Tab-separated table of all heavy atoms in Angstrom:
chain	number	residue	atom	x	y	z
A	1494	ASN	N	-38.057	19.252	-21.981
A	1494	ASN	CA	-36.947	19.573	-22.885
A	1494	ASN	C	-37.086	21.036	-23.300
A	1494	ASN	O	-38.190	21.589	-23.317
A	1494	ASN	CB	-37.025	18.675	-24.126
A	1494	ASN	CG	-37.014	17.207	-23.742
A	1494	ASN	OD1	-35.967	16.664	-23.394
A	1494	ASN	ND2	-38.180	16.558	-23.772
A	1495	PHE	N	-35.968	21.662	-23.644
A	1495	PHE	CA	-35.988	23.052	-24.102
A	1495	PHE	C	-35.278	23.084	-25.454
A	1495	PHE	O	-34.052	22.951	-25.529
A	1495	PHE	CB	-35.273	23.938	-23.078
A	1495	PHE	CG	-35.317	25.400	-23.402
A	1495	PHE	CD1	-36.506	26.125	-23.329
A	1495	PHE	CD2	-34.164	26.072	-23.784
A	1495	PHE	CE1	-36.548	27.481	-23.623
A	1495	PHE	CE2	-34.192	27.435	-24.082
A	1495	PHE	CZ	-35.391	28.135	-23.997
A	1496	VAL	N	-36.076	23.212	-26.515
A	1496	VAL	CA	-35.521	23.104	-27.879
A	1496	VAL	C	-36.036	24.266	-28.724
A	1496	VAL	O	-37.243	24.540	-28.747
A	1496	VAL	CB	-35.935	21.742	-28.507
A	1496	VAL	CG1	-35.572	21.690	-29.983
A	1496	VAL	CG2	-35.250	20.589	-27.758
A	1497	ASP	N	-35.113	24.929	-29.402
A	1497	ASP	CA	-35.459	26.058	-30.266
A	1497	ASP	C	-36.270	27.122	-29.507
A	1497	ASP	O	-37.212	27.710	-30.045
A	1497	ASP	CB	-36.256	25.548	-31.484
A	1497	ASP	CG	-36.211	26.534	-32.636
A	1497	ASP	OD1	-35.399	27.481	-32.579
A	1497	ASP	OD2	-37.003	26.377	-33.578
A	1498	GLY	N	-35.924	27.312	-28.238
A	1498	GLY	CA	-36.583	28.343	-27.429
A	1498	GLY	C	-37.954	27.948	-26.907
A	1498	GLY	O	-38.669	28.787	-26.351
A	1499	LYS	N	-38.334	26.669	-27.070
A	1499	LYS	CA	-39.661	26.242	-26.597
A	1499	LYS	C	-39.532	25.070	-25.619
A	1499	LYS	O	-38.628	24.243	-25.756
A	1499	LYS	CB	-40.530	25.773	-27.788
A	1499	LYS	CG	-40.778	26.840	-28.837
A	1499	LYS	CD	-41.690	26.285	-29.908
A	1499	LYS	CE	-41.282	26.390	-31.327
A	1499	LYS	NZ	-40.078	26.878	-31.848
A	1500	TRP	N	-40.469	25.020	-24.677
A	1500	TRP	CA	-40.500	23.902	-23.719
A	1500	TRP	C	-41.318	22.770	-24.325
A	1500	TRP	O	-42.478	22.959	-24.682
A	1500	TRP	CB	-41.104	24.369	-22.387
A	1500	TRP	CG	-40.168	25.319	-21.696
A	1500	TRP	CD1	-40.216	26.680	-21.746
A	1500	TRP	CD2	-39.021	24.970	-20.912
A	1500	TRP	NE1	-39.164	27.211	-21.029
A	1500	TRP	CE2	-38.417	26.181	-20.507
A	1500	TRP	CE3	-38.432	23.772	-20.512
A	1500	TRP	CZ2	-37.268	26.224	-19.728
A	1500	TRP	CZ3	-37.300	23.806	-19.735
A	1500	TRP	CH2	-36.723	25.019	-19.343
A	1501	ILE	N	-40.705	21.603	-24.446
A	1501	ILE	CA	-41.337	20.489	-25.172
A	1501	ILE	C	-41.572	19.301	-24.233
A	1501	ILE	O	-40.644	18.813	-23.581
A	1501	ILE	CB	-40.431	19.999	-26.335
A	1501	ILE	CG1	-39.922	21.171	-27.177
A	1501	ILE	CG2	-41.131	18.949	-27.182
A	1501	ILE	CD1	-40.873	21.739	-28.181
A	1531	THR	N	-34.454	17.938	-34.177
A	1531	THR	CA	-34.988	19.314	-34.201
A	1531	THR	C	-34.018	20.258	-33.489
A	1531	THR	O	-33.780	21.386	-33.929
A	1531	THR	CB	-36.370	19.353	-33.499
A	1531	THR	OG1	-37.209	18.393	-34.120
A	1531	THR	CG2	-37.009	20.729	-33.589
A	1532	ALA	N	-33.451	19.782	-32.371
A	1532	ALA	CA	-32.520	20.616	-31.597
A	1532	ALA	C	-31.261	20.935	-32.432
A	1532	ALA	O	-30.786	22.073	-32.447
A	1532	ALA	CB	-32.134	19.899	-30.305
A	1535	ALA	N	-32.158	23.411	-35.102
A	1535	ALA	CA	-32.360	24.746	-34.498
A	1535	ALA	C	-31.010	25.401	-34.218
A	1535	ALA	O	-30.839	26.611	-34.408
A	1535	ALA	CB	-33.172	24.608	-33.209
A	1536	GLY	N	-30.046	24.589	-33.788
A	1536	GLY	CA	-28.704	25.118	-33.532
A	1536	GLY	C	-28.087	25.679	-34.800
A	1536	GLY	O	-27.534	26.784	-34.812
A	1677	ALA	N	-31.709	26.118	-18.400
A	1677	ALA	CA	-32.487	26.470	-19.598
A	1677	ALA	C	-33.431	27.638	-19.277
A	1677	ALA	O	-33.612	28.541	-20.104
A	1677	ALA	CB	-33.264	25.255	-20.093
A	1680	MET	N	-31.385	30.733	-19.444
A	1680	MET	CA	-31.076	31.118	-20.827
A	1680	MET	C	-32.283	31.838	-21.445
A	1680	MET	O	-32.142	32.836	-22.153
A	1680	MET	CB	-30.749	29.875	-21.675
A	1680	MET	CG	-29.525	29.117	-21.198
A	1680	MET	SD	-28.000	30.043	-21.483
A	1680	MET	CE	-26.835	29.106	-20.514
A	1681	GLU	N	-33.484	31.312	-21.152
A	1681	GLU	CA	-34.700	31.934	-21.681
A	1681	GLU	C	-34.877	33.330	-21.071
A	1681	GLU	O	-35.133	34.304	-21.781
A	1681	GLU	CB	-35.904	31.045	-21.318
A	1681	GLU	CG	-37.201	31.496	-21.947
A	1681	GLU	CD	-38.362	30.565	-21.558
A	1681	GLU	OE1	-38.375	30.001	-20.443
A	1681	GLU	OE2	-39.268	30.416	-22.400
A	1685	VAL	N	-31.280	34.494	-24.492
A	1685	VAL	CA	-30.407	33.766	-25.429
A	1685	VAL	C	-31.274	33.396	-26.648
A	1685	VAL	O	-32.369	32.852	-26.481
A	1685	VAL	CB	-29.826	32.499	-24.747
A	1685	VAL	CG1	-29.096	31.623	-25.738
A	1685	VAL	CG2	-28.900	32.902	-23.605
A	1686	PRO	N	-30.854	33.699	-27.871
A	1686	PRO	CA	-31.712	33.460	-29.035
A	1686	PRO	C	-32.124	31.983	-29.156
A	1686	PRO	O	-31.338	31.086	-28.815
A	1686	PRO	CB	-30.823	33.863	-30.221
A	1686	PRO	CG	-29.755	34.724	-29.651
A	1686	PRO	CD	-29.546	34.293	-28.237
A	1687	PRO	N	-33.344	31.725	-29.648
A	1687	PRO	CA	-33.813	30.343	-29.812
A	1687	PRO	C	-32.811	29.516	-30.614
A	1687	PRO	O	-32.228	30.004	-31.590
A	1687	PRO	CB	-35.122	30.506	-30.604
A	1687	PRO	CG	-35.561	31.895	-30.349
A	1687	PRO	CD	-34.331	32.712	-30.092
A	1688	GLY	N	-32.620	28.271	-30.176
A	1688	GLY	CA	-31.746	27.349	-30.904
A	1688	GLY	C	-30.293	27.381	-30.451
A	1688	GLY	O	-29.532	26.479	-30.778
A	1689	VAL	N	-29.910	28.408	-29.684
A	1689	VAL	CA	-28.504	28.486	-29.254
A	1689	VAL	C	-28.238	27.504	-28.112
A	1689	VAL	O	-27.201	26.842	-28.063
A	1689	VAL	CB	-28.156	29.937	-28.803
A	1689	VAL	CG1	-26.777	29.993	-28.168
A	1689	VAL	CG2	-28.261	30.875	-29.989
A	1690	PHE	N	-29.194	27.397	-27.208
A	1690	PHE	CA	-29.039	26.493	-26.061
A	1690	PHE	C	-30.219	25.530	-26.082
A	1690	PHE	O	-31.364	25.923	-25.858
A	1690	PHE	CB	-29.027	27.300	-24.750
A	1690	PHE	CG	-28.932	26.444	-23.519
A	1690	PHE	CD1	-27.703	26.165	-22.934
A	1690	PHE	CD2	-30.095	25.913	-22.931
A	1690	PHE	CE1	-27.624	25.368	-21.795
A	1690	PHE	CE2	-30.009	25.113	-21.796
A	1690	PHE	CZ	-28.776	24.851	-21.230
A	1691	ASN	N	-29.943	24.277	-26.372
A	1691	ASN	CA	-31.006	23.259	-26.419
A	1691	ASN	C	-30.731	22.201	-25.377
A	1691	ASN	O	-29.596	21.713	-25.272
A	1691	ASN	CB	-31.047	22.600	-27.791
A	1691	ASN	CG	-31.254	23.629	-28.896
A	1691	ASN	OD1	-32.360	24.089	-29.126
A	1691	ASN	ND2	-30.169	24.018	-29.558
A	1692	LEU	N	-31.782	21.864	-24.630
A	1692	LEU	CA	-31.662	20.843	-23.575
A	1692	LEU	C	-32.535	19.653	-23.948
A	1692	LEU	O	-33.739	19.823	-24.200
A	1692	LEU	CB	-32.137	21.436	-22.244
A	1692	LEU	CG	-32.613	20.476	-21.168
A	1692	LEU	CD1	-31.443	19.678	-20.589
A	1692	LEU	CD2	-33.315	21.238	-20.032
Side-chain angles (χ1 to χ4, degrees):
N1494 303 284
F1495 184 69
V1496 171
D1497 201 12
K1499 300 183 232 5
W1500 291 96
I1501 312 280
T1531 305
M1680 298 291 168
E1681 187 180 32
V1685 171
V1689 172
F1690 177 94
N1691 303 281
L1692 157 70

